[in-house]
Amino acid sequence: MPPADTAARLAAWLAAHMEHHRLSADEVARELRVGAGQVRAWLAAAGHRPPVAAGEFDHLDTPVKLGAWLRARIADSGLTVRELAASTEHVSMSTVYNWLKGEHLPAPPAADEPDRFDLLLSNPALGLGIHQRVQLDEVRRRLTGTSLHVDDPAAWDARALPAANRSFTGRRAALRRLDRALADRAALVLVTGIGGVGKTALAVQWARSALARATYTDGCLYLDLHGYSAGPPVDADTARLRLLYQLGVDPRRLPSDTEAQAALYQRILADRRVLLVLDNAHGEPQVRPLLPAAPGCLALVTGRGRLTGLDVTSPGLARLDLDALADTEATALLRDLLGRLATKDVPDADVQALADRCGRLPLAIQIAAADYLTHHHPRRTSLADYTADLALGALATGPDDPATAVTPALDHSHRRLSPGAQRAYRLLGLHRAPDFAPAWAASVVAEPLDRARALLSELAQANLLAVDDRGRYAFHDLLREHAAALADRHETAEDRRAAVGRGLDHWRAGGIAATMAAEPGRDPIVVRPLAPGVTPEVFDDYDAAARWIDDELEGLLAGAAHAAEAGFDADVWQFAWTAANVLGDRGQWSRQIELARLSLEASQRAGDTEAIARSHRFVAHPAIRDGRVDEARTHLRSALDLHRADADAAGQAAVLHSLAAIEEHVGDYAAALACAETALAIDRDRGFLGGQGRALNEIGWHLAHLGRAAEAVEPCLQALAVFEKLGDRGGAALTLDTLGYIRHAGGEHDAAIAEYRRANAEFRALGRPFETAGTLDRIGDVHADAGDRAAARAAWGESLALFEELGHAVADEVRAKLEAPE
């Protein structure tokens, strides 16, 4: 038994240690392998109370509960309320009694008057430490509506920041280190460590913390730099463009010079308090140009490499080398994942042994837990036996990360799968789909849909695939890499290429079928024969087709890029045929431009003249919209020459429609009308109704702009009849919009508004914000001409909000109408 003074000193040291590191009695007990009651007894015997555990005051959610807690604390102190008040400056006995009843709890003082609530908490008789007082102050602030914490995540702009990991456990020291870097005014924090150690999870957890949100009030930008992904790392110029888009920069107004783009990026950040999370960085040249120069911003960078070059060039740098979970954290995570029933009789040593065998890496622990729960029963296979059989060899997940402990656990999970699920895992991992449906997976593995569903279910149960509430599946990046590496070892090159081709074929055929169902006025294209094993999807109505396009759009874009990389160049333009218009309708114009250029490059490599001509048209469409008329004309001339050489009447008509749009853009409506009339003649000769409807609508529009509104009505009515016959809702809505313009030009205000509202309702239903905004703008014009300024302003206000959200320059014109004097 140590002397009393020694025990007192040890207790005092332990209390100070726990206070400084924010450790609870339970955490210390686990580290010392004693009971939590023993730790409390040591502290109490020497007159110390255990520091407050995180969340100990969370239950004080009403003033009455806070008062009851305070009453108990005063009773424990041995003082009466009278004695406590007498020994606390500026606090009266009646004030304390009011607080004990849950009444008149004061907000923090706004001026220099004393904070009576904090003065009471500071009374030594209550024995409260600084961290306890801070947490109780936050309780007081929460109850009085003066909290500094941001509780509504929707009010905080977090562009693309992933959701927090629900199984996130521990990392208290790392989170405190990030808090300290914030207090130290660091400009750059590097979080580095091996793959699977939880760098991204930590970064997201801290970025979503109340402290980070309260400090960086202008929000958070997030970008995955793909430093260790299946594809190439994102280069700095592309990364900066993506961040500029997140910051709301209009792609049309971006300077073409990269140095000017860099200056614009820094200028925007200069006036903001922004947290920038750059995830999965590859090297210093990739990161350095993205770092904010503004003193109010912080860059949080994660990567497997240490990026030591940034130590020289980046003042204000703080480092956090993330290691495996601590013993207590790893076992806590494992027990949480396994559940009480599987671990209630399991000794701590056995849980610790499995966590250690998994390298105490969060991802490996999650996979091992899922594998144990899926394939074993605690009564038949103990956790100790499972751990003994778990052979964890060393296999790097990438060329720059040979010291990872994730791949061995994944290999073990793969070996536990049925042969069919093993093959499915390997073949699905060859693709880049962000998420996917069972029907697509069935084509990739060349199995019936029911069989594919069973295989996906097995993979999800083994925690090798995630499944969302829509029934769509997704790989974790590391798991995808692991699956692809296994495919390289276990599948022949011919089988791997066939699996890639089947997945691309499914998207390509499905995209064409869905587009024709959603837009029956489109000129159909011929689909080359599909690979054996592909089961294309069919669509009976617009709604089913529109849902498919919504769900698969990201897959289509990933498929287009993958097709170009994997040597399926001849197919890329068909992906663009499906996705380009959708991107344009939704205002995702930068992606539309990227896809069109990808299609043109792939088509030129393939040497397919039809594909090249169509790709020139894909590139021309956004150029017309953005006012790049010369560029658009050049591409359309190239397309027209190719279509003429191939005697392709459909292609020639399509080019004429685009040329009409160019002439309209430059204000030559007579030339635009001539183009539309020529396109109409071609489409009538070949009997294509969709083209006829489009040309008739264009003719009506151009006639109205030439002051011939009376002549314009009939072609539009003919166009409307064509689109209604075809079931083409988008074409019909565009025609109704034209009719609204014609009625307005003829002075028929009520009729114009009626036509516009019909068009607007359909554009909204079809999810076309650009057309919706344009129709609202024109509705405002009609109201203004009719003398109803209030209704005009309401319509223009809605239009402006949509145009600003899209980042389109037309917003300036609408804003000018709103700001014009009445």
Side-chain angles (χ1 to χ4, degrees), residues 265-299:
Y265 172 73
Q266 295 294 349
R267 187 163 65 250
I268 293 174
L269 292 178
D271 298 324
R272 305 191 186 188
R273 295 188 63 80
V274 171
L275 174 61
L276 175 61
V277 180
L278 299 175
D279 195 19
N280 199 9
H282 180 265
E284 296 89 340
Q286 184 189 33
V287 171
R288 195 175 285 117
L290 307 178
L291 300 179
C297 297
L298 172 68

Side-chain angles (χ1 to χ4, degrees), residues 71 74-88 93 96-97 100 120 123 125-126:
R71 184 186 299 276
I74 293 172
D76 288 344
S77 72
L79 297 179
T80 65
V81 172
R82 180 186 298 276
E83 292 169 338
L84 185 66
S87 62
T88 306
M93 185 174 65
V96 178
Y97 272 121
L100 297 184
L120 181 70
N123 192 307
L126 294 182

Side-chain angles (χ1 to χ4, degrees), residues 30 40 54 85 286 321 334 352 414 436-437 468 528 546 584 683 698 709 736 762-763 781 789 799 811:
R30 282 196 296 269
R40 294 189 179 94
Q286 184 189 33
D321 296 323
L334 193 50
Q352 182 69 58
H414 173 261
F436 53 87
D468 64 18
R528 67 163 175 77
D683 285 330
E698 291 170 354
L736 289 169
E762 194 70 344
F763 286 140
D781 293 342
R789 184 69 181 177
S799 174

Side-chain angles (χ1 to χ4, degrees), residues 350-575:
D350 288 354
V351 180
Q352 182 69 58
L354 178 55
D356 288 342
R357 187 61 63 91
C358 291
R360 289 183 281 111
L361 296 180
L363 182 58
I365 289 173
Q366 291 179 34
I367 295 166
D371 180 61
Y372 179 73
L373 292 174
T374 301
H375 299 288
H376 301 276
H377 191 284
R379 293 180 182 175
R380 293 191 293 271
T381 305
S382 69
L383 204 63
D385 290 339
Y386 174 79
T387 302
D389 294 336
L390 187 61
L392 299 176
L395 179 61
T397 58
D400 298 315
D401 188 16
T404 176
V406 175
T407 299
L410 298 180
D411 280 344
H412 179 76
S413 294
H414 173 261
R415 287 194 297 271
R416 290 285 188 178
L417 297 171
S418 67
Q422 288 181 344
R423 175 177 174 272
Y425 177 64
R426 296 193 296 263
L427 297 185
L428 291 170
L430 294 171
H431 285 272
R432 315 282 177 77
D435 59 27
F436 53 87
W440 176 82
S443 290
V444 173
V445 300
E447 295 279 6
L449 181 57
D450 288 347
R451 171 65 175 158
R453 289 185 188 278
L455 296 174
L456 292 173
S457 177
E458 183 178 351
L459 292 172
Q461 289 178 17
N463 213 32
L464 294 174
L465 281 180
V467 59
D468 64 18
D469 54 7
R470 299 173 299 159
R472 295 182 66 82
Y473 293 83
F475 272 105
H476 184 284
D477 285 345
L478 288 176
L479 298 176
R480 189 197 312 277
E481 293 176 17
H482 176 255
L486 289 173
D488 286 341
R489 295 203 303 270
H490 295 282
E491 309 291 341
T492 66
E494 181 180 358
D495 287 343
R496 295 198 301 272
R497 182 172 177 79
V500 171
R502 288 194 297 270
L504 297 177
D505 272 4
H506 185 97
W507 272 323
R508 187 169 54 87
I512 293 170
T515 299
M516 291 309 304
E519 302 177 68
R522 289 281 293 271
D523 213 343
I525 60 177
V526 178
V527 184
R528 67 163 175 77
L530 303 178
V534 176
T535 306
E537 296 180 70
V538 295
F539 306 94
D540 298 328
D541 55 34
Y542 171 85
D543 290 336
R547 281 195 302 272
W548 189 92
I549 291 172
D550 280 342
D551 289 341
E552 302 296 344
L553 179 60
E554 294 303 322
L556 288 166
L557 297 176
H562 195 185
E565 294 173 12
F568 293 87
D569 288 329
D571 296 339
V572 176
W573 74 271
Q574 295 189 351
F575 284 93

Side-chain angles (χ1 to χ4, degrees), residues 561-814:
H562 195 185
E565 294 173 12
F568 293 87
D569 288 329
D571 296 339
V572 176
W573 74 271
Q574 295 189 351
F575 284 93
W577 183 88
T578 295
N581 280 3
V582 178
L583 294 173
D585 289 342
R586 298 181 181 187
Q588 299 181 32
W589 297 312
S590 60
R591 303 180 80 189
Q592 183 190 34
I593 293 169
E594 290 176 11
L595 179 61
R597 289 176 176 165
L598 178 70
S599 175
L600 181 58
E601 293 169 0
S603 299
Q604 289 171 334
R605 288 195 299 268
D608 183 339
T609 55
E610 179 189 5
I612 295 171
R614 286 181 179 272
S615 298
H616 277 299
R617 285 156 45 192
F618 297 153
V619 175
H621 294 164
I624 296 171
R625 181 196 60 238
D626 295 343
R628 292 177 280 118
V629 174
D630 292 340
E631 179 185 343
R633 286 190 191 277
T634 298
H635 284 287
L636 289 176
R637 288 194 191 102
S638 298
L640 189 58
D641 289 343
L642 291 169
H643 286 315
R644 285 172 174 166
D646 290 343
D648 183 351
Q652 294 175 55
V655 172
L656 285 166
H657 288 300
S658 298
L659 288 172
I662 287 181
E663 302 301 346
E664 175 192 342
H665 186 86
V666 299
D668 191 344
Y669 286 97
L673 177 61
C675 290
E677 289 174 337
T678 305
L680 176 62
I682 294 174
D683 285 330
R684 278 178 172 165
D685 285 344
R686 66 192 189 97
F688 176 48
L689 283 179
Q692 293 174 47
R694 179 179 178 184
L696 287 165
N697 180 38
E698 291 170 354
I699 289 170
W701 178 261
H702 301 320
L703 284 171
H705 280 81
L706 288 169
R708 298 157 62 183
E711 300 174 52
V713 175
E714 183 56 29
C716 284
L717 293 177
Q718 293 178 30
L720 190 60
V722 168
F723 288 129
E724 288 176 346
K725 179 179 180 179
L726 291 172
D728 190 324
R729 296 170 61 183
L734 289 168
T735 306
L736 289 169
D737 184 77
T738 301
L739 282 169
Y741 185 86
I742 294 169
R743 305 298 187 194
H744 184 195
E748 303 174 62
H749 294 155
D750 290 342
I753 289 175
E755 301 285 17
Y756 276 141
R757 284 177 176 167
R758 289 175 62 195
N760 187 261
E762 194 70 344
F763 286 140
R764 288 183 189 275
L766 295 173
R768 297 187 177 183
F770 183 68
E771 281 88 354
T772 301
T775 305
L776 286 167
D777 179 24
R778 290 185 279 279
I779 289 174
D781 293 342
V782 179
H783 282 306
D785 286 350
D788 190 343
R789 184 69 181 177
R793 290 183 62 81
W796 286 332
E798 282 191 74
S799 174
L800 178 61
L802 283 172
F803 277 130
E804 286 181 334
E805 185 177 341
L806 292 169
H808 198 279
V810 177
D812 293 335
E813 300 174 15
V814 180

Side-chain angles (χ1 to χ4, degrees), residues 290-381:
L290 307 178
L291 300 179
C297 297
L298 172 68
L300 177 58
V301 180
T302 75
R304 296 185 189 178
R306 287 186 55 82
L307 307 178
T308 53
L310 294 177
D311 290 292
V312 179
T313 59
S314 302
L317 180 150
R319 283 191 171 276
L320 175 56
D321 296 323
L322 200 60
D323 202 351
L325 292 170
D327 290 347
T328 54
E329 294 173 335
T331 54
L333 173 60
L334 193 50
R335 282 191 178 276
D336 181 57
L337 292 169
L338 290 172
R340 185 178 61 83
L341 292 178
T343 61
K344 64 177 181 178
D345 298 323
V346 178
D348 285 343
D350 288 354
V351 180
Q352 182 69 58
L354 178 55
D356 288 342
R357 187 61 63 91
C358 291
R360 289 183 281 111
L361 296 180
L363 182 58
I365 289 173
Q366 291 179 34
I367 295 166
D371 180 61
Y372 179 73
L373 292 174
T374 301
H375 299 288
H376 301 276
H377 191 284
R379 293 180 182 175
R380 293 191 293 271
T381 305

